[in-house]
Amino acid sequence: CPPLGLESLRVQDSQLRASSHQRYGLGAHRGRLNIQSGLYDGDLYDGGWCAGQEDTEQWLEVDAGGITNFTGVVTQGLNSIWTYNWVTTFKVQVSNDTHEWHPCRNGTAEVVFPGNKDPETPVLNLLPSPVVARYLRINPQTWFQNGTICLRAEVLGCPLPDPNNAYTWPRQPLPTDPLDFRHHNYKEMRKLMKRVNEECPNITRVYSIGRSYRGLKMYVMEISDHPGRHEVGEPEFRYVAGMHGNEVLGRELLLNLMEYLCREFRRGNPRVVQLVTQTRIHLLPSMNPDGYETAYKLGSELSGWAMGRWTYEGIDLNHNFADLNTALWDAEDNDLVPHQFPNHYIPIPEYYTLANATVAPETRAVIDWMQRVPFVLSANLHGGELVVTYPFDMTRTYWKAQELTPTPDDDVFRWLATVYATSNLAMATEERRLCHYDDFARVGNIINGANWHTVPGSMNDFSYLHTNCFEITVELSCDKFPHASELPDEWENNREALLLYMEQVHRGIKGVVRDRETEKGIANAIISVDGINHDIRTG
């Protein structure tokens, strides 16, 4: 059975209760798998549920909302940079009314389940046999000897019809596009891309931009009316997903987007036809295929918060691009920009190009791709939050962890971020709640990247400073690795936003710079806009 949705927030705070808690920030509503704590000890939004007393009568209770066939429990310890707390063994009880509780038994003996050995690694315990009830309690029996009773959890269960109340019968999901809603490993991803290419050979092309450290090809799907060819005046657009291998929703959304664009083009959908014929679209579903395979083997509930995030070499690709910000800001401080130091197309430093530089092959492949194709607009799809961030990602004051650091094109970037955030159903809903501890809803679900947390060497900043391409980051969901059963809903949440953001590539001024006498196009012509200290070059 799939998870009830403690991690994905399908389970509401009101459905979680506990015997006691140390304080509000460690209440039952925080006992969700993979929830992250704030930076400060005693934070209002802390990293789990912690009981207010240390005895074997404490419990965390989940109301499934209806009759449910419970099959298992996943547990973690407290997420904290200050303390170490986790439960080492626990019992499970179920009830239909919260008054009479029945222990989970293996035959006649009450089962004591093995818990965690560290705070972060999720541990799955399947029940000896499925149990039908509405409520489930996790009852800690022992805990880390130097800590206290703290845990985060997910409960596995299938909803069942209630014979006494037809209104609570499980409802089928809303009808959606007939797409391949499941998680695709490397082999399955290749099959899907090949199938889409065969269905729409006239508008698609599959190509590779390089290989990962372990030799997996980094496949891109191109969608255009003339695949394989740059057309003058037709903008180049890209979506990149899977920079962190365990943030998998972007990968599945891009695979679904390929299917959708192909099928809707064949059906003659005017919006899709216009988009495909007037735009050259590139979709890279997996920038870190090695990391994804690591997370995929563990699965949705057991990959934790970080397993598969990095490349096989242990490199975080989101910090691996050349830092061009520092060189630009040093030049600005010395009044060298733009006459002695460029404000755009900033060259890559020599140290970064050396053979012994710590640059992942995945990063080099993407940089070569950026330099080969004159991209105009891009989005980098991540997971683990619900927010859209825009450059700069790196703080100008090097020692600050957070600082508002806008680009000269701040108005444009704020618009682009707002387009995605306001058309994403999960972000736009009035019922939107915190994923972890940041309340992004109060700022329209967009934030300057550096004002959230500094990211030196980000792809967004590199794209803006080294090429013509404006790029934002979309954090797609609270859950980095949603269960396959949640993918149809996530497609509905993001379909309009994915399309609308691509359409923004046609806003603004575009054209060709020509020699007045010969009428031939001029490459590398610099275009400046008054009041914006960031120029653009022709392709």
Side-chain angles (χ1 to χ4, degrees):
C1 285
L4 296 186
L6 276 76
E7 182 179 8
S8 65
L9 305 184
R10 275 202 319 246
V11 172
Q12 303 291 315
D13 287 352
S14 59
Q15 294 173 253
L16 300 174
R17 287 200 314 150
S19 53
S20 64
H21 57 259
Q22 290 183 11
R23 52 184 168 78
Y24 178 77
L26 293 168
H29 65 292
R30 302 297 292 174
R32 299 172 180 273
L33 192 72
N34 285 321
I35 204 162
Q36 301 295 292
S37 67
L39 296 177
Y40 306 105
D41 193 20
D43 199 287
L44 187 62
Y45 303 105
D46 224 318
W49 163 67
C50 289
Q53 301 164 28
E54 290 190 24
D55 59 55
T56 57
E57 302 303 313
Q58 304 305 304
W59 44 263
L60 175 68
E61 179 183 301
V62 181
D63 175 5
I67 301 300
T68 301
N69 191 31
F70 292 115
T71 59
V73 174
V74 182
T75 57
Q76 276 175 318
L78 178 73
N79 176 254
S80 172
I81 60 175
W82 304 103
T83 59
Y84 292 93
N85 299 290
W86 60 85
V87 169
T88 52
T89 63
F90 62 91
K91 295 179 179 179
V92 170
Q93 291 119 27
V94 296
S95 172
N96 285 321
D97 57 10
T98 73
H99 298 295
E100 185 178 348
W101 289 90
H102 302 278
C104 183
R105 297 182 182 277
N106 190 0
T108 58
E110 187 171 358
V111 182
V112 178
F113 294 95
N116 298 87
K117 297 180 180 179
D118 64 68
E120 294 300 328
T121 306
V123 172
L124 167 65
N125 278 285
L126 295 176
L127 306 185
S129 59
V131 180
V132 176
R134 173 169 174 173
Y135 303 91
L136 180 143
R137 280 181 178 175
I138 300 170
N139 172 214
Q141 297 298 294
T142 59
W143 44 93
F144 178 51
Q145 62 181 1
N146 295 324
T148 187
I149 300 173
C150 295
L151 64 79
R152 294 173 286 168
E154 182 63 85
V155 176
L156 309 183
C158 296
L160 298 174
D162 184 348
N164 300 315
N165 189 351
Y167 292 103
T168 64
W169 286 13
R171 286 172 170 71
Q172 294 299 315
L174 293 172
T176 185
D177 303 301
L179 306 177
D180 191 359
F181 293 120
R182 60 193 173 102
H183 290 293
H184 297 78
N185 63 11
Y186 179 72
K187 183 189 249 182
E188 294 300 320
M189 180 186 76
R190 287 179 56 182
K191 284 182 182 177
L192 185 147
M193 295 176 77
K194 183 174 183 290
R195 174 169 55 76
V196 171
N197 178 234
E198 289 170 350
E199 284 182 19
C200 296
N202 295 330
I203 62 164
T204 63
R205 177 176 73 107
V206 178
Y207 66 98
S208 170
I209 61 170
R211 290 180 182 268
S212 69
Y213 179 80
R214 301 194 72 188
L216 300 181
K217 287 186 177 181
M218 300 167 65
Y219 286 109
V220 177
M221 173 68 78
E222 178 192 340
I223 302 175
S224 167
D225 57 344
H226 294 96
R229 193 173 85 207
H230 173 74
E231 298 178 74
V232 175
E234 185 170 294
E236 305 267 359
F237 177 92
R238 72 170 181 260
Y239 273 130
V240 176
M243 170 178 269
H244 293 145
N246 63 328
E247 298 170 15
V248 307
L249 179 55
R251 174 193 185 104
E252 300 308 325
L253 288 176
L254 292 192
L255 294 177
N256 293 152
L257 183 61
M258 296 172 196
E259 295 180 289
Y260 178 81
L261 291 175
C262 168
R263 292 177 186 179
E264 291 302 303
F265 185 89
R266 292 174 62 190
R267 290 175 55 188
N269 181 324
R271 183 184 189 185
V272 171
V273 169
Q274 183 176 20
L275 189 61
V276 170
T277 56
Q278 296 183 5
T279 321
R280 193 176 179 209
I281 301 163
H282 304 256
L283 307 177
L284 172 61
S286 188
M287 182 176 168
N288 180 6
D290 296 347
Y292 176 85
E293 293 301 304
T294 299
Y296 178 83
K297 286 172 186 173
L298 291 170
S300 171
E301 310 313 310
L302 299 182
S303 58
W305 191 249
M307 189 62 69
R309 173 187 177 91
W310 299 279
T311 67
Y312 189 78
E313 297 175 277
I315 295 173
D316 187 337
L317 297 179
N318 205 30
H319 294 261
N320 197 229
F321 287 78
D323 170 18
L324 307 181
N325 306 54
T326 300
L328 172 66
W329 293 333
D330 286 348
E332 286 181 347
D333 291 342
N334 291 292
D335 295 324
L336 301 178
V337 178
H339 304 295
Q340 297 178 52
F341 191 93
N343 65 10
H344 69 297
Y345 270 46
I346 297 171
I348 296 174
E350 185 178 353
Y351 74 84
Y352 189 84
T353 63
L354 298 176
N356 62 352
T358 307
V359 184
E362 296 89 346
T363 308
R364 292 192 190 278
V366 169
I367 290 175
D368 291 344
W369 186 40
M370 290 178 174
Q371 293 172 334
R372 239 180 9 253
V373 181
F375 291 110
V376 177
L377 184 62
S378 173
N380 182 11
L381 307 182
H382 284 244
E385 256 298 351
L386 266 176
V387 68
V388 183
T389 75
Y390 55 90
F392 285 117
D393 288 335
M394 178 181 174
T395 56
R396 185 155 186 159
T397 308
Y398 74 91
W399 50 267
K400 286 190 175 181
Q402 294 172 299
E403 180 186 41
L404 181 62
T405 311
T407 67
D409 289 290
D410 191 55
D411 289 345
V412 176
F413 274 118
R414 287 178 60 83
W415 167 260
L416 292 170
T418 300
V419 164
Y420 202 101
T422 54
S423 52
N424 175 285
L425 299 184
M427 294 185 201
T429 178
E430 292 182 0
E431 286 78 41
R432 155 112 163 83
R433 57 146 287 170
L434 304 184
C435 285
H436 302 286
Y437 51 86
D438 286 310
D439 186 3
F440 293 115
R442 62 185 173 82
V443 290
N445 298 302
I446 70 168
I447 191 171
N448 171 251
N451 207 26
W452 183 19
H453 56 81
T454 187
V455 182
S458 80
M459 185 165 71
N460 291 11
D461 287 3
F462 180 87
S463 178
Y464 178 67
L465 294 176
H466 186 65
T467 76
N468 277 345
C469 187
F470 286 32
E471 181 171 279
I472 63 171
T473 290
V474 182
E475 299 280 352
L476 291 163
S477 68
C478 303
D479 189 347
K480 288 186 176 185
F481 200 140
H483 190 270
S485 62
E486 297 176 26
L487 294 178
D489 285 340
E490 293 294 358
W491 169 251
E492 292 297 325
N493 287 340
N494 286 277
R495 177 182 55 198
E496 177 60 24
L498 289 166
L499 296 172
L500 194 59
Y501 183 77
M502 282 193 289
E503 290 168 342
Q504 303 313 299
V505 77
H506 295 286
R507 292 179 69 91
I509 299 169
K510 62 181 177 179
V512 179
V513 177
R514 301 183 185 278
D515 184 294
R516 180 181 291 175
E517 295 179 358
T518 66
E519 290 293 312
K520 289 185 178 180
I522 299 175
N524 287 314
I526 297 175
I527 299 157
S528 298
V529 178
D530 279 348
I532 299 179
N533 190 23
H534 180 84
D535 299 336
I536 293 295
R537 289 195 195 188
T538 57

